Amino acid sequence: MASKGHYRVRFRSLFGDVPLRVGRLLACPCQGGDEAKSSAVLELGGNPVAPELAYLTARYAALVPLGKVAALLSELLPVSGTQHASTVRNRTRRVGETVVQQQPSADMARPTDPVVIGLDGGYVRSRHGGEGHHFAVIAGKVIDAEGAQHRFAFVPNAPVAAADAFQQALAAAGVDADTPATVLGEGDAGLWRLQRTTLPDATVVLDWWHLAVRFEHALQAARGLGAGTADAHLADEAVRGLERAKWRLWHGRWPGCQRKLAALCRWMQRKPLREVAGIERLQRHVSELLGYLERNQGALVHYAELPS
């Protein structure tokens, strides 16, 4: 094959931009008329970015705003030039498009063994700001008996559309209404309704992580009770009550946990404590925690006995 010349390209890696000189070769005349006239010696595609850099960009872009990701990459990685939010957004979108194309088809075999489904929701904020630019996203993960994982996400435009989207996402993982399933949720009433519509016979479990976060918020408020005053000793009693309630909940003793939290609420309403610094913040967190648990008591289990 004869050379058709060269062209320059910049390959972006974790260790900086690498300038490359890629040669092109003319196709042999013996090839058919439908064959390409020339081909590159090294095919990098239209976006020459190292998979490691694409992974890090998409990974952090899923957790923090795009501008902060750009600043983080510019500080930590020896990349050439400053990264921009638009670069992070475009790179993350390309990674997402690749992931969607690689999703398994819906005609795969249906699993007969039990599966565990994690279901969560959140809001995506528009980079332009203003009202009407935010939208909800429901995301989840299906784990089968062998540990294989299938992730999904969709935007719920309406209750019927959300149920259809959830059903399609489960079908892509080989799950239907007859598949034995355990659904882990954050306690949102809308997500529970979605589960009941699509998997009415599933076992529902309130996810411990979300419980632990709410307990930690209350514990932080308790540790600051009376800080810097003569009432600082009251923090120990509040912390002790919360830790005992949490221990009972972990060991499947919801009634005991409920009694401990209710007693703590009554304790905080005593007249000598009404003027203690930080008491209102603690009351708010404990009351919200108790209400959250009471609304979801049907999904509380013996967490200590669950397989790790």
Side-chain angles (χ1 to χ4, degrees):
M1 289 186 179
S3 173
K4 190 186 176 182
H6 301 82
Y7 68 93
R8 296 187 179 278
V9 67
R10 191 172 295 275
F11 180 74
R12 304 188 183 281
S13 74
L14 284 174
F15 308 102
D17 292 353
V18 181
L20 299 175
R21 188 167 175 261
V22 181
R24 295 191 67 85
L25 299 177
L26 290 170
C28 178
C30 64
Q31 300 295 328
D34 295 335
E35 296 293 332
K37 300 298 183 183
S38 63
S39 61
V41 175
L42 179 63
E43 184 58 56
L44 295 173
N47 181 46
V49 178
E52 297 83 4
L53 180 57
Y55 167 78
L56 284 179
T57 304
R59 171 82 174 180
Y60 287 109
L63 302 174
V64 297
L66 302 180
K68 292 186 178 181
V69 176
L72 177 66
L73 295 179
S74 297
E75 283 191 34
L76 299 184
L77 302 179
V79 293
S80 302
T82 304
Q83 297 293 298
H84 299 281
S86 59
T87 302
V88 175
R89 182 176 62 253
N90 294 336
R91 194 175 294 159
T92 304
R93 182 186 296 118
R94 284 191 289 266
V95 171
E97 291 171 350
T98 302
V99 171
V100 170
Q101 292 173 0
Q102 294 176 353
Q103 292 294 332
S105 61
D107 58 358
M108 62 186 297
R110 305 286 182 184
T112 56
D113 294 330
V115 298
V116 176
I117 302 171
L119 197 58
D120 205 345
Y123 282 89
V124 175
R125 298 183 178 273
S126 171
R127 64 189 180 95
H128 300 293
E131 296 296 331
H133 292 285
H134 310 326
F135 59 91
V137 174
I138 294 177
K141 179 168 61 176
V142 179
I143 306 176
D144 64 21
E146 297 179 354
Q149 300 183 8
H150 174 90
R151 294 175 174 83
F152 61 87
F154 57 89
V155 177
N157 296 321
V160 176
D164 290 342
F166 185 38
Q167 190 171 25
Q168 292 173 9
L170 294 178
V175 177
D176 59 21
D178 297 325
T179 303
T182 298
V183 178
L184 303 178
E186 61 170 319
D188 179 76
L191 294 181
W192 287 146
R193 285 195 298 270
L194 186 62
Q195 167 266 316
R196 288 193 297 269
T197 301
T198 310
L199 296 171
D201 297 326
T203 300
V204 295
V205 175
L206 188 61
D207 183 59
W208 178 258
W209 186 86
H210 290 91
L211 287 174
V213 168
R214 290 175 179 263
F215 264 106
E216 186 57 33
H217 289 165
L219 284 167
Q220 289 178 0
R223 296 183 187 109
L225 188 63
T229 69
D231 298 319
H233 65 282
L234 297 172
D236 293 336
E237 186 169 353
V239 169
R240 188 162 52 249
L242 283 168
E243 288 180 340
R244 288 175 176 174
K246 184 178 179 181
W247 184 90
R248 283 166 171 75
L249 187 62
W250 173 257
H251 289 279
R253 295 163 59 181
W254 157 240
C257 170
Q258 186 180 33
R259 286 194 297 270
K260 281 292 180 183
L261 293 177
L264 185 57
C265 288
R266 292 192 298 271
W267 175 77
M268 291 185 292
Q269 293 172 355
R270 293 168 55 187
K271 188 174 182 179
L273 276 76
R274 293 176 184 174
E275 303 300 326
V276 175
I279 192 67
E280 292 182 359
R281 179 169 177 259
L282 179 59
Q283 286 177 330
R284 183 177 71 255
H285 281 293
V286 175
S287 298
E288 290 176 353
L289 173 61
L290 181 57
Y292 172 74
L293 293 173
E294 288 176 340
R295 289 192 302 272
N296 294 280
Q297 58 182 305
L300 299 175
V301 298
H302 194 313
Y303 293 95
E305 291 184 345
L306 294 178
S308 59

